[in-house]
Amino acid sequence: MVVCMTNHALDSFLADLLKDGIDKLVRLGGGSKEQWTERYQPRALSHRLKGLSRNSSAWALWKDRLEGLCVQGAGICNSFNSTTIHWTAVRSHLELNYPEICRSLAEVECLSPGRTIDQAKVSQQGGGFAFEYWCNGGDLKDIESLLVSFHNILGKNEAIIQGMYKAKMQGKKGAGMDSGDVDQLKDKIVQEIVQNTEHVASDPSPSIWTMPQSERLALVAKWQDEIGIATLVDQAVELHRRHQQALRQRHQTRTDDDVHRFGQQDVIGLTTTACAKYWPLLSKLDMKTVICEEAGEVIEAHSLCTLFPSIKHAIFIGDPLQLRAQVNEQEMATENSEKYRLDQSLFERMMYPSLSSIRPFPTSRLDIQRRAHPVIADIMRATLYPTLEDAPSTKAHPRVAGMAERLYWLDHRHPENRPDPRSQFATSYANTFEADMISAMVRYLVHTNEYNFGDIAILTPYNGQLEALKQKLRGECKTFLIEKDKEALMDLRDLDLDVGDAIKTDKEGRTKFDMSKMLRLATIDNFQGEEAKIVILSLVRSNIDDRVGFLKSFNRINVACSRAKHGLYIVGNASLMQNVSMWRSIIDLLTKQHKIGGSFQACCSRHPNPRYQIRHPEAPRDPQWFVKNLVQQFFNVVTRAPVVAVTARPTRSILDAQVNVLDLVTAGTNA
């Protein structure tokens, strides 16, 4: 069993297993954004392994029984809500007190003893048509009208059953049977109804079918009074009990089938949430090994859900130097209470026992990172992971188009916004300068035509800044919020999610997002386990009171600075952040490497030598900014390159266009 905290990590883990040829796996739970995972969902697996199903007939039987109980329940509800009584409610009363009348009504609907399950099913769906026909003054000699009543009742009850299955049943008849089969069954039942009707009508003895309409209605009213509301309630309760029992039996049938099918697989993959949800099923699989990834983020109770009695070998993988599990009650978090430590994982507790008498569990460290370019990974080496090594693949990451450096800190002194007590975000912080600067930077990076919005992620510690960034980028691009951030903003205001054409719907009507068209906005805490080609980090806090806030935690700093693959850009007040030892180490490193300053260093992706200073948000879209830098760099280019070839390649951005003009002017001057 492979267990992960997030769907993203689980999909990544399973994808690597597939690459290594391990394809006998099943993925439990929803929430995946990867289309390939659909093939490994339980229902898809059941379709591929139909031969392994041992309970298909039992499943169909319980399914039909549930449908029948649903129809009966609808009849009881109708008896509560109307002046007339339904056949489901009156039948048992007639059987007990008026057996002859009950027999006269029921004989019309009776099928032959050799009926099939499907015949009984369709007949049951049409049950009560004779009673309704009788109440409305129907005559057995008018067989056509009787059959119309049968089809009307059948249509109503089919609609009820379709409501049980919602979209799955739309456009289908007979609860999943082919329309041709249903029509044939109806024809057979109609023939029997005609025969039954002729038999009852031929009986010379006095019959309720000869009563006038007024006597029939009086008799129905009498039965209704005799039954009373208490009896209807009892019938409804009994139907509910039988329905719940049938649901449990059907679920048990499916569970037995799933246990058999899942037992044929090599790997069961799921999140910690799904592990708790499917615990009864999983406990029957007799699994021997569990691998729990992101174990440092999993609270202890969730970790215990993965340790089934059959487990012989448990492998926990995680990072105790990153963020702990998130808890709603901060007073119970480890930082605030040594007594509760609700956010402490079993993984951390086994590595660092609180009592000296307890021996730590054996551990080993994975020292090769496969995400960030070595330049970005230097931050981790300078702080928490001095022995960290880079996989060869990370050195092949391309340089960030349009930027002179792939790692840079934009240092500023623009103050943070003071929280407005009248605002929904009174308890959170924002920084207008940083929001403006980052939104302009996103536009600039995308205009290089090297990146989609989905390649970029903006991280910030505060929901207030998250909202400010979303407002700044409204109309510029579609934004994607991680579910927890979305819920946080929805709790504070009526969030309007602008997703537009980034939404797709699959064949089964499920919503899918085209992530390549959506810019990811997230708080640092909710981006743990995720990654992006380019990460822009907004630190927000900038004040004269030396208040750093959330950013004093080394766990949070670690997560914030380790999500980027190709480029990491930090926007914040370095003077303030130096009050935190880990930030001070990062700032010292960047200062030595000349990767910190009051402006971003921009350049053309094809002409990296001329560099342009981006000091304010308007720079990347201000024509005068380009002209000023064009003139400033003009003589440098002429001096360095007496002969400059005129490029014939198409321009890929505004910046490229300026450099092409520069080439043309230089070539003309030399000529």
Side-chain angles (χ1 to χ4, degrees):
M1 181 172 68
V2 172
V3 186
C4 297
M5 181 69 181
T6 63
N7 284 292
H8 171 81
L10 177 62
D11 292 342
S12 178
F13 201 124
L14 296 182
D16 285 340
L17 293 181
L18 289 171
K19 290 177 183 177
D20 287 338
I22 302 174
D23 57 357
K24 292 182 66 176
L25 57 86
V26 60
R27 187 196 191 283
L28 295 184
S32 173
K33 300 182 181 68
E34 301 293 338
Q35 191 170 2
W36 64 264
T37 61
E38 295 177 7
R39 173 177 170 78
Y40 299 95
Q41 289 290 331
R43 298 286 71 81
L45 183 68
S46 66
H47 288 309
R48 296 203 310 273
L49 303 177
K50 284 185 178 179
L52 292 176
S53 177
R54 301 181 297 182
N55 300 301
S56 56
S57 59
W59 168 261
L61 183 64
W62 285 111
K63 179 171 172 285
D64 294 343
R65 186 170 297 179
L66 281 167
E67 291 171 0
L69 290 169
C70 184
V71 169
Q72 293 178 50
I76 294 292
C77 291
N78 289 338
S79 299
F80 278 118
N81 300 324
S82 65
T83 56
T84 60
I85 196 166
H86 193 270
W87 175 243
T88 303
V90 78
R91 180 170 184 168
S92 58
H93 179 71
L94 295 182
E95 286 177 341
L96 184 63
N97 301 291
Y98 304 91
E100 290 298 325
I101 294 177
C102 183
R103 189 159 45 250
S104 296
L105 292 169
E107 280 182 352
V108 177
E109 300 184 9
C110 282
L111 292 180
S112 60
R115 61 185 177 175
T116 65
I117 292 178
D118 287 337
Q119 281 179 300
K121 178 178 177 179
V122 175
S123 176
Q124 187 180 52
Q125 290 178 20
F129 74 91
F131 176 71
E132 183 170 298
Y133 183 65
W134 177 81
C135 291
N136 292 329
D139 189 345
L140 289 182
K141 295 179 181 179
D142 187 359
I143 293 180
E144 288 188 5
S145 297
L146 176 65
L147 295 178
V148 168
S149 176
F150 167 69
H151 285 289
N152 286 341
I153 292 291
L154 186 63
K156 290 178 183 178
N157 290 339
E158 280 182 343
I160 292 169
I161 293 173
Q162 284 188 2
M164 287 174 60
Y165 300 103
K166 297 181 181 179
K168 295 181 181 179
M169 288 296 302
Q170 289 181 4
K172 298 183 181 180
K173 296 183 179 181
M177 292 182 286
D178 293 337
S179 58
D181 295 338
V182 173
D183 291 338
Q184 290 180 8
L185 288 173
K186 286 181 180 178
D187 291 340
K188 291 180 181 179
I189 293 171
V190 165
Q191 292 175 11
E192 290 206 41
I193 290 173
V194 171
Q195 293 174 4
N196 294 341
T197 303
E198 291 174 346
H199 172 72
V200 174
S202 64
D203 188 352
S205 59
S207 171
I208 60 171
W209 288 101
T210 59
M211 285 183 178
Q213 174 76 2
S214 57
E215 291 185 18
R216 297 184 187 189
L217 294 177
L219 198 55
V220 170
K222 177 186 175 184
W223 295 337
Q224 197 165 7
D225 290 340
E226 290 174 350
I227 292 172
I229 192 71
T231 302
L232 289 178
V233 170
D234 290 342
Q235 291 178 348
V237 170
E238 174 60 17
L239 274 174
H240 176 71
R241 185 194 65 78
R242 291 166 58 194
H243 185 267
Q244 292 299 306
Q245 184 181 21
L247 277 175
R248 287 192 293 270
Q249 292 291 342
R250 186 186 69 166
H251 178 72
Q252 185 60 48
T253 301
R254 171 171 281 179
T255 298
D256 292 343
D257 237 15
D258 285 341
V259 168
H260 181 61
R261 278 191 289 259
F262 295 171
Q264 310 301 313
Q265 307 306 303
D266 292 329
V267 177
I268 309 293
L270 68 172
T271 61
T272 52
T273 302
C275 188
K277 178 180 178 181
Y278 294 103
W279 201 93
L281 184 154
L282 296 168
S283 62
K284 298 179 180 181
L285 291 176
D286 196 33
M287 291 177 290
K288 302 301 181 186
T289 303
V290 59
I291 300 176
C292 182
E293 221 253 301
E294 302 178 312
E297 300 176 59
V298 183
I299 63 173
E300 191 156 350
H302 288 182
S303 295
L304 293 176
C305 283
T306 70
L307 301 178
F308 295 92
S310 61
I311 294 295
K312 304 297 183 185
H313 190 188
I315 303 168
F316 280 47
I317 307 170
D319 187 350
L321 300 181
Q322 293 195 25
L323 287 166
R324 294 187 176 96
Q326 295 187 40
V327 294
N328 292 330
E329 294 296 333
Q330 291 302 312
E331 293 179 359
M332 304 182 76
T334 304
E335 289 184 356
N336 302 317
S337 172
E338 280 295 321
K339 178 181 179 181
Y340 298 110
R341 295 182 295 172
L342 184 62
D343 59 346
Q344 187 179 43
S345 64
L346 177 65
F347 178 78
E348 182 182 355
R349 190 164 68 83
M350 294 296 96
M351 283 186 67
Y352 309 114
S354 56
L355 300 177
S356 58
S357 59
I358 299 177
R359 184 178 179 181
F361 267 57
T363 60
S364 61
R365 172 175 285 181
L366 305 176
D367 281 328
I368 300 177
Q369 67 88 18
R370 292 173 168 82
R371 174 183 294 154
H373 187 278
V375 171
I376 301 172
D378 284 342
I379 289 180
M380 298 298 99
R381 274 186 283 272
T383 52
L384 301 175
Y385 308 94
T387 62
L388 188 66
E389 299 176 16
D390 302 310
S393 59
T394 62
K395 300 174 184 178
H397 288 337
R399 61 187 299 272
V400 178
M403 301 297 288
E405 304 286 353
R406 67 171 69 248
L407 171 64
Y408 200 84
W409 183 314
L410 177 65
D411 185 19
H412 71 86
R413 299 296 179 269
H414 295 270
E416 65 197 38
N417 300 355
R418 294 290 182 179
D420 184 351
R422 298 167 297 179
S423 168
Q424 300 98 326
F425 300 95
T427 59
S428 192
Y429 289 86
N431 190 302
T432 301
F433 170 78
E434 291 187 14
D436 289 339
M437 195 71 190
I438 290 172
S439 59
M441 188 176 179
V442 168
R443 284 191 295 269
Y444 169 69
L445 288 171
V446 172
H447 286 163
T448 65
N449 288 343
E450 295 287 344
Y451 304 103
N452 294 316
F453 284 109
D455 295 328
I456 304 171
I458 302 175
L459 305 185
T460 179
Y462 293 99
N463 285 323
Q465 185 72 345
L466 201 67
E467 171 64 11
L469 286 162
K470 191 177 188 309
Q471 294 301 325
K472 292 290 182 183
L473 292 161
R474 183 182 296 274
E476 296 283 347
C477 63
K478 313 305 178 186
T479 54
F480 179 83
L481 292 173
I482 290 174
E483 196 64 32
K484 291 181 180 179
D485 287 330
K486 190 191 305 181
E487 292 173 359
L489 293 190
M490 281 181 170
D491 288 341
L492 296 173
R493 63 188 293 275
D494 185 16
L495 183 63
D496 177 23
L497 295 178
D498 180 20
V499 293
D501 60 355
I503 286 184
K504 295 180 179 178
T505 304
D506 64 13
K507 294 180 181 179
E508 297 183 9
R510 292 175 297 188
T511 300
K512 296 285 185 180
F513 291 98
D514 184 357
M515 298 300 294
S516 66
K517 296 182 178 180
M518 304 183 75
L519 177 72
R520 285 181 287 175
L521 301 178
T523 54
I524 297 169
D525 291 22
N526 290 330
F527 206 71
Q528 182 160 265
E530 305 285 336
E531 63 182 25
K533 287 183 179 179
I534 298 175
V535 170
I536 306 174
L537 177 59
S538 174
L539 302 183
V540 180
R541 303 307 299 268
S542 180
N543 54 73
I544 60 175
D545 304 318
D546 291 339
R547 294 196 309 270
V548 177
F550 290 151
L551 292 169
K552 64 185 177 183
S553 165
F554 75 88
N555 307 75
R556 190 167 286 110
I557 300 171
N558 186 13
V559 172
C561 296
S562 61
R563 303 299 97 196
K565 296 175 67 177
H566 299 176
L568 172 63
Y569 300 98
I570 304 172
V571 183
N573 185 332
S575 176
L576 174 63
M577 295 301 155
Q578 278 190 328
N579 294 314
V580 178
S581 61
M582 186 169 174
W583 282 124
R584 185 161 56 249
S585 299
I586 294 172
I587 292 169
D588 290 344
L589 171 70
L590 298 182
T591 301
K592 292 177 183 177
Q593 297 179 350
H594 306 290
K595 298 183 186 300
I596 186 170
S599 62
F600 281 123
Q601 306 290 313
C603 69
C604 170
S605 56
R606 296 202 305 271
H607 302 78
N609 288 329
R611 295 191 175 190
Y612 307 92
Q613 308 297 319
I614 303 179
R615 298 180 180 277
H616 52 88
E618 292 74 22
R621 55 182 176 180
D622 182 3
Q624 293 185 2
W625 178 78
F626 281 108
V627 172
K628 177 181 177 181
N629 282 281
L630 184 66
V631 173
Q632 184 177 358
Q633 298 293 337
F634 175 73
F635 291 104
N636 293 335
V637 175
V638 173
T639 303
R640 289 197 306 271
V643 177
V644 180
V646 180
T647 179
R649 286 175 290 181
T651 60
R652 293 182 296 173
S653 67
I654 297 174
L655 186 54
D656 280 351
Q658 305 302 325
V659 176
N660 286 337
V661 171
L662 180 59
D663 289 348
L664 290 169
V665 173
T666 304
T669 303
N670 290 331

